[in-house]
Amino acid sequence: MYGDTRIGQIFSFEEVKNYLYGQNFNQPDKTNLQFYEKFVFNTQIDQLKDEENLKEFLDKNYIKVPIMNPEGIEENEKIGFVPHAVFFLYANGFIGKTFDENDVFDAYQKNKNMIRFVYDTVLNGIKKEEILEDKEKLKKWLFDHAYGNCKNGRIFFTEMQERFSIIEDHIRENRYYIDLKCEKCSSHNLKQEDDVLDTWFSSALWPFGTLGWPEKTKDLWSFYPTSLLVTGFDIIFFWVARMIMMGMHFMKEKPFGDVYIHALVRDEKGEKMSKTKGNVIDPLDMVEKYGADSLRFTLAALAAQGRDIRLSEKRIEGYKHFANKIWNASKFVLSNFENNRGKVFKDISALKLSYDDKWILTRLQEVIKSSVKAVEEYRYNDYANGLYDFFWHEYCDWYLEFSKERIYKGTDEEKAAALSTLIYVLDRSMKMLHPVMPFITEEIWQRLPFKDADYLPVAPYPEIDDNLIFEEEKQLIEDLKEMIVSIRNVRADFGIEPSRRLNVYIKPSDHRFMSVIKAMEPSIKLLAKIENLEVSEDIERPPNTVVAVSRKAESYIDIAGTIDIEKELKRQEKILKDIQKSISISEKKLSNENFIKKAPAHVVEKEKRFYEELKQKEEKVKRIIESLKEVQTS
């Protein structure tokens, strides 16, 4: 606040109180204290929450300057420097309430530079300083002001056996002093440098000063106002507000339409990066180790509005795996294109598209729409994460796997549809990913067969094609995915090794879904590791099977011979017992009032989440045990 000139170097309690608890002019919903805590100090200061604690905080942390003049007398009409000095030494603990001339003399010699500076500022000068430099004069002066033997008859002290005591009623109020002194010589005679450039003033002129102002230049006419200012929240007042004020004053128009307030980059614990702490991550080191695309994508994916970025090397390494995934998936598509050049077509709408082709094309249109919306709203984390989920989890994990059967074993017509769709979606994905991963996307895109520009930066961003939206097929494939995942979950729950192929019986809920299963049967068998698959709307649950339920089907998985039922039942019962033991411990914690009241809120919340997870696990294991017992008795 002193650097901001809200208070002086010597200030009163009322000045601080009125400023901190007053309404901030540009934050009407916050007090100045809340504004400073959030945007300046970046921490909560409990001692400043009310007037009593504020007074205690000031008394503890700042040098006190006792004001002794009675009401109605101007402070520069001094009553004498010596009483001010003695009361100053007492107020700040340099002498006790009871003292003699030696105590005052010694304390004054140690602190006189500070005392001179303070009272030069408060009382406009020093008077009778020589008294404090001579012990005999000082002793006489103390007696005179204990018994009224002085010109003005003022009594400041009481005396007993040549020991003097402060009469505190003379202190009208205590003000506070921010102690600034030279690091080398400890002098308080400091002068502010006046040969400086006012950085914030010159920065405030930036939106139009850089365009030739005050001349009426072509650039000024063309580019003012600008569209967007990108900045951190820590300089909103120091820079952004000043630019707006200057723009409105000199140009009669606001300097920009939007302000994007980006996150600050912190370490993984949320602390500000500092060379002193040793928690700095050098971007050049990360680029060399993980690649520029990985670092760039990491920052975009973590740039959520209203939240700082907690950056760690592990996060950057994680997005390097994403870059590897993009490269490997593209390599698969391009190598198959090279082997089937005559079977790839630019106009995919003329091809006989399968259910999964229509599903991925529909999802592509949705991602194009959501990515454009996210960029327009400056939600760059949503933009990056949406593309990540689409490319990795839908294009790679599902669509590539769906397409393999047709690429390797399908007819020419089926190969053409699969490969053309793969390349079509890859092209649009590279265009969308290019702003956050420019290097790998350019390298891949240059190898694609159909291009609408020489380079990606000038290629048009993908647009939604309403002719490639197939809502019914999209939902059918989503239901199919859910069914495959339910079969996979049974394998995991019962500890069946991934390489073992199973016999599965599927009962679809309707004829439409059964036709999808029939059409996608080779892919289903591949993705769910199925040996024999039987599909029928009339099928009854066979013996030795466990049930996997999804929205559109029931799947009966034959586990006879794949696991030791008795052994697996005992294993699951032991797991259930351990879970129930943990639930009991967690319930005791959460029912303990001392834990709820005294433990930090985040610890209590974590325990509640842990309890809920345990209950979900308990239900899951109970279902597995029930299924095992059914198989055991069938």
Side-chain angles (χ1 to χ4, degrees), residues 64-79:
K64 287 183 275 189
V65 181
I67 303 300
M68 301 165 56
N69 296 346
E71 295 288 349
I73 296 180
E74 295 295 327
E75 289 177 359
N76 60 1
E77 295 178 5
K78 302 180 293 296
I79 58 173

Side-chain angles (χ1 to χ4, degrees), residues 28 89 215 370 378 420 437 453 462 486 501 508 531 553 631:
L89 293 170
E215 302 299 327
S370 62
Y378 308 114
S420 299
M437 303 186 86
S486 71
R501 293 188 172 274
E531 182 69 33
V631 173

Side-chain angles (χ1 to χ4, degrees), residues 235-496:
I235 55 172
I236 294 172
F237 177 74
F238 302 107
W239 190 26
V240 181
R242 284 171 165 85
M243 285 195 288
I244 294 171
M245 287 189 287
M246 291 297 181
M248 296 298 290
H249 179 73
F250 289 111
M251 301 299 296
K252 310 306 178 187
E253 188 175 2
K254 63 184 180 182
F256 29 74
D258 294 335
V259 179
Y260 174 66
I261 301 170
H262 61 72
L264 298 183
V265 180
R266 300 181 180 276
D267 71 7
E268 58 188 323
K269 296 178 182 176
E271 296 180 3
K272 193 171 182 179
M273 289 190 181
S274 162
K275 288 183 179 179
T276 306
K277 292 180 181 178
N279 62 345
V280 173
I281 295 178
D282 189 326
L284 294 179
D285 290 341
M286 296 301 100
V287 168
E288 185 175 351
K289 194 169 182 181
Y290 301 111
D293 283 338
S294 301
L295 176 61
R296 190 182 179 105
F297 192 89
T298 303
L299 294 172
L302 298 178
Q305 291 183 9
R307 187 178 71 195
D308 285 349
I309 292 175
R310 293 194 174 195
L311 187 63
S312 69
E313 191 169 335
K314 284 184 178 179
R315 288 182 180 269
I316 302 169
E317 183 182 7
Y319 288 114
K320 181 189 176 184
H321 298 320
F322 180 47
N324 290 341
K325 190 77 171 179
I326 294 171
W327 183 260
N328 291 331
S330 303
K331 186 178 177 182
F332 168 81
V333 174
L334 291 168
S335 63
N336 280 286
F337 160 70
E338 290 296 333
N339 297 330
N340 297 275
R341 276 185 173 270
K343 300 184 179 70
V344 176
F345 301 92
K346 184 176 182 180
D347 183 10
I348 60 171
S349 61
L351 300 173
K352 186 178 180 180
L353 301 174
S354 67
Y355 289 108
D356 48 313
D357 294 333
K358 292 180 179 180
W359 164 72
I360 196 66
L361 290 169
T362 305
R363 284 294 299 124
L364 175 65
Q365 310 315 308
E366 292 173 347
V367 170
I368 291 171
K369 181 180 179 180
S370 62
S371 68
V372 170
K373 188 173 187 289
V375 169
E376 288 175 346
E377 296 176 354
Y378 308 114
R379 292 182 290 104
Y380 300 117
N381 62 308
D382 291 344
Y383 167 75
N385 289 318
L387 296 178
Y388 176 95
D389 289 336
F390 172 73
F391 194 86
W392 189 316
H393 299 307
E394 295 183 303
Y395 183 73
C396 295
D397 288 353
W398 287 101
Y399 184 66
L400 274 180
E401 299 302 321
F402 281 144
S403 67
K404 283 179 180 178
E405 284 292 318
R406 284 182 292 154
I407 291 172
Y408 295 142
K409 301 175 184 177
T411 64
D412 287 347
E413 187 179 49
E414 289 173 335
K415 285 182 182 179
L419 283 169
S420 299
T421 305
L422 280 167
I423 288 175
Y424 181 90
V425 177
L426 183 61
D427 169 80
R428 272 65 178 176
S429 297
M430 293 305 98
K431 287 178 178 177
M432 289 189 289
L433 282 165
H434 184 70
V436 280
M437 303 186 86
F439 300 105
I440 191 172
T441 52
E442 184 71 58
E443 181 70 23
I444 293 166
W445 192 74
Q446 288 296 333
R447 303 182 186 195
L448 294 178
F450 312 117
K451 289 187 281 291
D452 48 4
D454 291 332
Y455 301 99
L456 261 181
V458 292
Y461 195 84
E463 294 182 355
I464 297 171
D465 186 343
D466 291 332
N467 295 319
L468 297 178
I469 297 175
F470 309 95
E471 289 294 344
E472 183 183 4
E473 287 81 356
K474 172 198 149 186
Q475 188 55 55
L476 287 167
I477 293 298
E478 291 294 342
D479 292 333
L480 188 75
K481 285 167 55 187
E482 184 192 7
M483 184 192 76
I484 293 170
V485 169
S486 71
I487 296 170
R488 287 174 172 176
N489 288 341
V490 167
R491 298 181 68 103
D493 290 342
F494 289 91
I496 301 169

Side-chain angles (χ1 to χ4, degrees), residues 6 30 73 134 182 270 282 306 549:
R6 295 297 188 266
K30 293 181 174 64
I73 296 180
D134 185 308
C182 175
D282 189 326
V549 179

Side-chain angles (χ1 to χ4, degrees), residues 124-148:
N124 197 27
I126 299 176
K127 189 176 181 182
K128 296 183 180 179
E129 183 183 5
E130 67 275 6
I131 292 172
L132 291 156
E133 300 283 2
D134 185 308
K135 287 187 181 180
E136 289 302 317
K137 288 182 180 179
L138 178 59
K139 184 174 182 179
K140 181 179 183 307
W141 183 90
L142 290 169
F143 269 109
D144 286 346
H145 288 79
Y147 292 97

Side-chain angles (χ1 to χ4, degrees), residues 493-504:
D493 290 342
F494 289 91
I496 301 169
E497 61 268 25
S499 60
R500 182 182 287 274
R501 293 188 172 274
L502 303 172
N503 296 327
V504 177

